[in-house]
């Protein structure tokens, strides 16, 4: 029996404690205010206590609860430092690990899926997991041909737990909203729930990983481990060492932070153009920084680090790459063409037919958001993200009022979340990134046609920098 709490009543009770706890702390806060404490101080204490309970419960439950926690964790940069600081360690733990399931449960899954003689497939198999995540855990092993491999084993009952958690979280999404200023929690939960079947299907994951591994084989910047074996509930891939992104965030050098950020942005925008797939789970637990001389890379003096990418369980299928509309809208916004931007947003469904907005106000809303692509390089920081989140979350601000009237078409939901999550990681890294370079090369429409034609005529620039 897995230690994943599988009974719906058990998981529901744990999750239900979250809004009850929130209500209790609100009453406590009212008492404090009556007692003379300022609303600002009480509000911060409430937010901190709620966050501490939230991430403790999400980490214990795994399943959809932990998946939601991982999605939230990349946005901790948006919180005020005095609130984010005390539980940043808990967020990092959510990105990298969860309590493991018992060895006997792991062996039971392997017997059921690989056969009674499953050990003959391996020269070595470590019973202690090297990582545990939302729906499965990873064991280090040596395949029968001598290759070091990662064996991902899915938790029994993971699908049921995943759906149950996300349904329960959806019921009180409104109460969780204040945790991340400027972020609407309900669409995030809905989108995670819609992806459940894909997340559980290791055949789909193996296919997506193989496509990425083939495309990025020998790439000077990005490493994707290939798939060795796949069956229901078990996925075996090549093992990949490296420095976890979470470790770079907590104690990496500025050189490592900048390189990790640049490569993360490069992978985000080049992936859809090269594979027709968007890696849609960009939390730090899915990335490693590798010395460049590993896996056939060049001398580390020339190219100091490469980005290792893991976990292709959630992808967005974009056969033509990222939509040209995104590049066109960014270019027009940078040019200050408010009417053209507004017309495009209306045409694509970002502004509903029954709503009329001032094009100039829409441009004013967008300009601070696109600040990182206006300059040659941009220093991402928690302070910048907090400023953006605060601007949109402040109910008194024009940005908040306008944002409420904008619509996010379904086709852009996952792209939007992945982009925001990536920006969250860049701000956690505190990386200085030449984001504009990546958009010019990989995002259709970002360059005007004559510029794009000129760029196409030139050899693709070296990626050594």
């Amino acid at each position: 029996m897995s230690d994943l709490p599988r009974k719906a009543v058990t998981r529901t009770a744990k999750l239900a404690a979250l809004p009850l706890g929130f209500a209790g702390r609100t009453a406590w806060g009212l008492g404090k205010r009556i007692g003379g404490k300022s609303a600002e101080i009480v509000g911060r204490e409430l937010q901190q206590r709620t966050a501490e309970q939230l991430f403790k419960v999400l980490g214990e439950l795994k399943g959809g609860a932990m998946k939601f926690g991982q999605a939230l964790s990349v946005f901790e940069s948006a919180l005020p430092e005095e609130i984010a600081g005390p539980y940043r360690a808990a967020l990092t733990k959510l990105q990298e690990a969860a309590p493991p399931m018992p060895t006997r449960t792991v062996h039971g899954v392997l017997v059921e899926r690989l056969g009674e003689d499953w050990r003959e497939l391996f020269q070595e198999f470590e019973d202690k997991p090297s990582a545990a995540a939302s729906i499965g855990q990873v064991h280090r092993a040596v395949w029968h041909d001598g290759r070091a491999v990662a064996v991902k084993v899915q938790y029994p009952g993971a699908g049921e737990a995943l759906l149950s958690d996300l349904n329960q979280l959806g019921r009180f999404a409104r109460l969780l909203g204040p945790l991340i200023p400027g972020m609407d929690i309900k669409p995030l939960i809905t989108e995670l729930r819609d992806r459940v079947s894909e997340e559980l299907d290791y055949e789909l994951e193996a296919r997506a990983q193989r496509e990425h591994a083939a495309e990025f084989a020998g790439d000077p910047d990005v490493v994707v481990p290939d798939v060795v074996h796949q069956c229901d509930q078990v996925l075996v891939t090549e093992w990949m060492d490296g420095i976890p992104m979470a470790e770079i965030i907590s104690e990496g050098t500025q050189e490592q932070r900048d390189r990790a950020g640049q490569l993360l942005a490069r992978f985000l925008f080049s992936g859809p153009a090269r594979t027709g797939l968007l890696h849609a789970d960009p939390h730090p637990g899915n990335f490693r920084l590798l010395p460049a001389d590993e896996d056939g890379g060049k001398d580390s003096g020339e190219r100091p680090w490469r980005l290792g990418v893991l976990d292709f369980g959630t992808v967005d299928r974009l056969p033509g790459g990222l939509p040209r509309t995104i590049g066109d809208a960014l270019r027009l916004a940078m040019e200050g063409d408010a009417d053209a931007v507004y017309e495009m947003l209306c045409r694509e469904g970002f502004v509903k037919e029954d709503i009329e907005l001032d094009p100039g106000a829409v441009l004013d809303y967008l300009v601070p958001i696109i600040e990182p692509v206006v300059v040659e390089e941009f220093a991402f920081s928690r302070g910048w993200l907090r400023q953006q989140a605060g601007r949109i979350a402040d109910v008194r601000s024009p940005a908040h009022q306008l944002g409420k009237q904008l619509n996010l078409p379904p086709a852009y939901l996952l792209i939007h979340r992945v982009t925001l999550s990536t920006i969250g990681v860049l701000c956690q890294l505190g990386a200085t990134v030449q984001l504009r370079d990546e958009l010019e090369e990989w995002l259709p429409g970002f360059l005007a046609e004559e510029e794009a034609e000129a760029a196409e005529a030139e050899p693709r620039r070296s990626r050594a920098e």
Side-chain angles (χ1 to χ4, degrees):
M1 179 70 177
S2 167
D3 69 345
L4 177 67
R6 291 168 61 187
K7 291 185 179 178
V9 65
T10 303
R11 302 182 67 81
T12 298
K14 284 180 175 286
L15 289 169
L18 291 173
L20 290 173
F22 183 83
R25 283 187 294 278
T26 301
W28 167 85
L30 180 60
K32 287 285 187 181
R33 288 181 65 184
I34 292 173
K37 272 198 172 184
S38 75
E40 182 181 4
I41 292 174
V42 171
R44 287 176 179 174
E45 290 183 13
L46 277 172
Q47 196 172 34
Q48 181 174 333
R49 291 184 180 209
T50 301
E52 286 171 351
Q53 184 196 9
L54 172 69
F55 289 107
K56 179 177 184 293
V57 171
L58 297 183
E60 288 175 348
L61 287 180
K62 305 180 190 174
M66 184 178 174
K67 195 73 185 169
F68 172 67
Q70 288 175 334
L72 277 190
S73 70
V74 299
F75 296 106
E76 58 89 4
S77 298
L79 296 172
E81 182 60 29
E82 62 271 21
I83 295 173
Y87 63 86
R88 186 164 290 140
L91 300 182
T92 301
K93 185 177 180 182
L94 267 179
Q95 292 166 354
E96 278 294 323
M101 61 177 158
T103 300
R104 65 182 181 278
T105 307
V106 176
H107 290 180
V109 174
L110 294 174
V111 166
E112 183 179 351
R113 300 304 177 187
L114 299 180
E116 293 285 347
D117 57 351
W118 66 269
R119 285 193 179 276
E120 294 181 12
L121 295 172
F122 303 95
Q123 292 182 13
E124 299 174 21
F125 183 90
E126 295 183 9
D127 285 335
K128 183 180 179 181
S130 59
S134 53
I135 67 164
Q137 64 188 41
V138 177
H139 294 258
R140 186 166 188 164
V142 178
W143 196 239
H144 57 79
D145 62 5
R147 279 182 289 176
V149 294
V151 184
K152 183 154 73 169
V153 182
Q154 193 173 115
Y155 303 128
E160 180 185 345
L162 206 61
L163 277 173
S164 174
D165 289 351
L166 294 172
N167 286 334
Q168 180 69 8
L169 286 164
R171 293 189 184 103
F172 53 83
R174 182 177 57 83
L175 294 176
L176 299 174
L179 283 173
I180 307 293
M183 182 178 179
D184 193 347
I185 298 292
K186 194 164 186 176
L188 170 62
I189 295 173
T190 300
E191 194 265 309
L192 289 174
R193 187 170 53 219
D194 291 345
R195 297 277 166 174
V196 165
S197 60
E198 291 185 20
E199 185 83 9
L200 295 166
D201 190 334
Y202 280 180
E203 182 179 354
L204 279 178
E205 179 173 351
R207 192 182 310 159
Q209 185 158 342
R210 284 191 177 106
E211 290 178 27
H212 277 86
E215 173 59 36
F216 286 95
D219 190 272
D221 300 315
V222 176
V223 182
V224 178
D226 208 351
V227 175
V228 175
H229 180 80
Q230 177 271 321
C231 62
D232 193 24
Q233 288 188 287
V234 178
L235 178 62
V236 183
T237 63
E238 294 172 336
W239 181 265
M240 185 167 64
D241 284 311
I243 307 172
M245 184 78 82
E247 191 174 314
I248 302 296
I249 289 171
S250 64
E251 55 192 51
T253 66
Q254 193 59 51
E255 178 194 0
Q256 290 173 325
R257 293 169 184 276
D258 292 346
R259 181 66 174 165
Q262 190 72 44
L263 295 184
L264 184 62
R266 186 165 299 164
F267 178 69
L268 168 66
F269 289 104
S270 70
R274 296 174 63 175
T275 67
L277 300 169
L278 174 68
H279 183 287
D281 196 7
H283 74 81
N286 288 336
F287 300 98
R288 302 283 184 269
L289 208 55
L290 309 172
D293 55 356
E294 287 189 9
D295 300 313
K298 290 190 177 181
D299 180 83
S300 59
E302 291 182 44
R303 207 183 292 267
W305 300 101
R306 303 167 82 195
L307 183 74
V309 185
L310 304 168
D311 199 335
F312 292 81
T314 306
V315 298
D316 198 6
R317 286 159 182 82
L318 302 169
L322 289 166
R324 184 182 179 87
T325 299
I326 298 173
D328 286 334
L330 281 172
R331 173 173 47 80
L332 293 169
M334 290 168 59
E335 294 171 356
D337 194 339
D339 290 334
V341 170
Y342 183 68
E343 181 184 342
M344 183 173 294
L345 293 179
C346 290
R347 188 169 61 247
E348 290 295 316
F350 288 91
V351 181
K352 292 186 176 180
E353 292 182 2
D354 58 344
I355 291 178
E356 188 171 337
L357 301 173
D358 174 27
V362 173
L363 188 63
D364 290 342
Y365 173 85
L366 293 174
V367 164
I369 300 173
I370 67 170
E371 185 182 1
V373 303
V374 175
V375 293
E376 288 189 10
E377 64 177 25
F378 185 78
F380 287 90
S381 68
R382 288 183 164 93
W384 175 79
L385 190 59
R386 284 196 292 269
Q387 183 181 22
Q388 293 300 321
R391 183 176 71 96
I392 296 170
D394 185 353
V395 294
R396 300 163 297 181
S397 73
H400 177 82
Q401 299 303 322
L402 192 145
K404 286 171 59 179
Q405 298 178 80
L406 292 174
N407 178 56
L408 187 60
Y412 291 89
L413 273 172
L414 195 54
I415 297 171
H416 178 69
R417 179 170 74 80
V418 171
T419 304
L420 285 182
S421 298
T422 303
I423 290 171
V425 177
L426 294 176
C427 290
Q428 288 179 326
L429 283 165
T432 297
V433 175
Q434 295 173 341
L435 187 59
R436 185 169 180 164
D437 280 358
E438 305 303 334
L439 299 186
E440 287 181 353
E441 180 147 359
W442 301 109
L443 183 59
F446 185 76
L447 287 176
E449 284 193 21
E450 56 273 17
E451 292 179 293
E453 289 172 3
E456 281 292 324
E458 295 178 4
R460 177 157 287 176
R461 66 184 173 86
S462 168
R463 287 302 189 177
E465 69 274 22

